[in-house]
Amino acid sequence: MGKRILIVEDDLHISNIIKMNLNLVNYETTEVHDGMAALEAIEREKCDLILLDIMIPKLDGFALMEKIQPYRIPVIFLTAKNSVYDKVTGLKLGADDYMVKPFEAIELLARIETVLRRYGKEQTVMEFHNGQVTLDKREVTIFGEPVELTPKEYDLLVVLLKNKNIALSREQIIDKVWGIDYYGETRTVDMHIKSLRKKLQLQDHIKTIYKIGYRLED
């Protein structure tokens, strides 16, 4: 079972989009739309991280943050406010990060991953169609047998797994695998994708997205 994330957001459209993107990468989610419902959910069930809007009914995000500090659950504030005062207030109350709406789903997922890693709750084994990756050992197996990947092939596989069912452009892949200072051709991505498909028997699961890039599917 994936990590459970509590989404506290009173805009139903935004909440549903966040939920959809988190579910796509195998996070469990609970949605609530006001501060009191959030407090009840936190007392009722275990959650590994909270995405918390500030301007919510009944009990705003700052007040809720003060009440839940004893639970020691990591919190990322989500808000339309962009003032330095609100950011500083949230961080002083113990929030782990702060994102201003609107934001890209891929950035939110990266922030969540970073916060969970900081709390020692990161995923150590990631599964794909016919195999798995053990992150702390950098080991890849298919059908239980080890597979040798180059360092960049391994890094590319992990990026695809962490963004499963999300289309990534070649430029995004290069930034994440080769770094923003890389000045080579995007064809390098295509060559590494071809190699991963062959080595891991993922021809039907790493999809080419026309004029964009690639997506790993279940």
Side-chain angles (χ1 to χ4, degrees):
M1 182 179 293
K3 300 299 182 185
R4 177 166 294 278
I5 296 178
L6 176 64
I7 305 165
V8 188
E9 168 63 68
D10 64 332
D11 185 315
L12 300 186
H13 176 67
I14 293 175
S15 182
N16 289 336
I17 289 175
I18 292 172
K19 175 183 175 67
M20 178 185 68
N21 281 289
L22 294 182
N23 291 163
L24 279 173
V25 292
N26 299 318
Y27 286 115
E28 304 288 331
T29 54
T30 299
E31 288 181 277
V32 295
H33 309 297
D34 66 71
M36 291 306 297
L39 189 58
E40 292 170 3
I42 292 163
E43 293 173 344
R44 182 178 65 247
E45 62 185 37
K46 174 184 178 294
C47 66
D48 297 289
L49 183 141
I50 302 170
L51 299 177
L52 178 57
D53 187 24
I54 292 177
M55 301 302 292
I56 49 177
K58 298 185 180 178
L59 192 67
D60 69 34
F62 290 150
L64 178 63
M65 186 72 193
E66 291 180 331
K67 288 182 177 293
I68 65 174
Q69 281 181 341
Y71 291 92
R72 298 187 59 78
I73 302 170
V75 173
I76 299 176
F77 271 128
L78 307 178
T79 179
K81 290 189 172 184
N82 196 19
S83 77
V84 174
Y85 172 79
D86 288 315
K87 181 174 182 178
V88 171
T89 300
L91 295 175
K92 280 187 174 180
L93 285 171
D96 296 270
D97 207 342
Y98 186 105
M99 295 189 67
V100 177
K101 294 179 278 188
F103 45 77
E104 295 291 333
I106 193 168
E107 181 184 2
L108 175 61
L109 295 172
R111 300 282 191 101
I112 289 171
E113 178 187 324
T114 298
V115 171
L116 288 176
R117 185 183 301 118
R118 192 181 305 147
Y119 274 72
K121 297 179 178 179
E122 76 277 15
Q123 199 173 2
T124 57
V125 175
M126 305 184 76
E127 297 182 349
F128 55 95
H129 171 63
N130 51 16
Q132 67 178 32
V133 178
T134 305
L135 295 174
D136 54 352
K137 296 180 180 179
R138 289 181 69 91
E139 289 181 351
V140 180
T141 60
I142 59 170
F143 302 112
E145 296 297 323
V147 178
E148 291 295 327
L149 299 181
T150 68
K152 291 304 182 189
E153 287 171 351
Y154 173 87
D155 292 341
L156 173 58
L157 174 61
V158 171
V159 166
L160 292 172
L161 282 167
K162 289 182 176 180
N163 296 277
K164 190 181 290 185
N165 297 314
I166 295 176
L168 297 175
S169 70
R170 289 173 177 81
E171 290 74 18
Q172 287 174 319
I173 291 172
I174 284 174
D175 285 350
K176 290 177 175 296
V177 177
W178 282 268
I180 59 175
D181 295 328
Y182 176 79
Y183 292 107
E185 297 181 5
T186 57
R187 193 163 58 89
T188 299
V189 175
D190 303 330
M191 295 169 58
H192 281 73
I193 289 287
K194 181 178 179 180
S195 180
L196 278 185
R197 283 172 169 160
K198 182 177 180 181
K199 288 184 177 182
L200 302 178
Q201 302 175 31
L202 291 173
Q203 289 86 347
D204 296 330
H205 297 273
I206 300 179
K207 303 290 187 180
T208 300
I209 310 303
Y210 182 62
K211 290 188 176 180
I212 297 177
Y214 297 97
R215 179 178 65 231
L216 176 63
E217 299 179 352
D218 291 325

